[in-house]
Amino acid sequence: MAVAGDETESASTGDMSGYQICTPTSSLPQGVVMAGSPGSLHSPPHVADETTRKRQLRLMKNRQAAKECRRRKREYIRCLETRLTMLEAQNKKLMDELNYFKEMYGIKSSQ
DNA sequence: TTCTCGACTCGTCAGTAAGA
DNA sequence: TCTTACTGACGAGTCGAGAA
């Protein structure tokens, strides 16, 4: 999966699968507060401990992954909004220019 | 002041794609 | 086939705005 593609490119094409990051990641460590998993109920203590540890590790990683995923998505949307603003401004400028030349050459505007 | 509602964030689960 | 990372979906909690 391509996560770190060209940001402006992905933003301009609207391709969500390649949206990316403008600023470097800064993820802070976070405490684990989950209880043990149900799967460890009928196992020997050391196996249960290992299972619980693995589960907590997985949850912690997934938590961080979700945060990162959401951050990228927000960034992607911001990029799209910025691009939209730019394109609208550009569009307006071109329309003004068109009207100017129409007037200059005496062509009646259709709108 | 209290209640309700919508918007938002967060953690978790489940499904999927990609690499070993 | 197994593992890992990513991401959509869901439920729970929080917050602010508006109504009663």
Side-chain angles (χ1 to χ4, degrees):
Chain A
M1 180 177 290
V3 174
D6 183 299
E7 178 173 34
T8 23
E9 180 60 23
S10 63
S12 63
T13 57
D15 180 14
M16 275 275 282
S17 66
Y19 63 68
Q20 62 146 292
I21 311 158
C22 287
T23 54
T25 311
S26 62
S27 50
L28 297 170
Q30 187 168 352
V32 177
V33 289
M34 283 297 295
S37 70
S40 63
L41 288 176
H42 305 294
S43 307
H46 64 287
V47 176
D49 284 352
E50 180 65 6
T51 305
T52 301
R53 194 189 66 80
K54 280 184 178 176
R55 172 178 160 79
Q56 289 185 346
L57 185 64
R58 181 172 57 78
L59 290 180
M60 192 178 70
K61 281 186 177 181
N62 190 245
R63 197 180 303 135
Q64 291 297 326
K67 282 181 182 175
E68 186 60 19
C69 179
R70 284 163 181 152
R71 191 191 66 76
R72 277 198 299 268
K73 192 170 185 176
R74 281 194 301 269
E75 189 64 26
Y76 170 72
I77 290 170
R78 260 198 297 271
C79 285
L80 282 185
E81 287 170 344
T82 300
R83 184 165 169 77
L84 173 64
T85 303
M86 283 168 44
L87 287 173
E88 282 175 343
Q90 187 181 0
N91 188 49
K92 183 182 182 314
K93 190 180 167 190
L94 288 170
M95 291 300 287
D96 288 346
E97 203 172 327
L98 177 64
N99 287 332
Y100 169 78
F101 283 116
K102 277 183 175 176
E103 262 187 38
M104 183 179 232
Y105 293 103
I107 302 171
K108 278 193 174 179
S109 175
S110 59
Q111 51 185 20

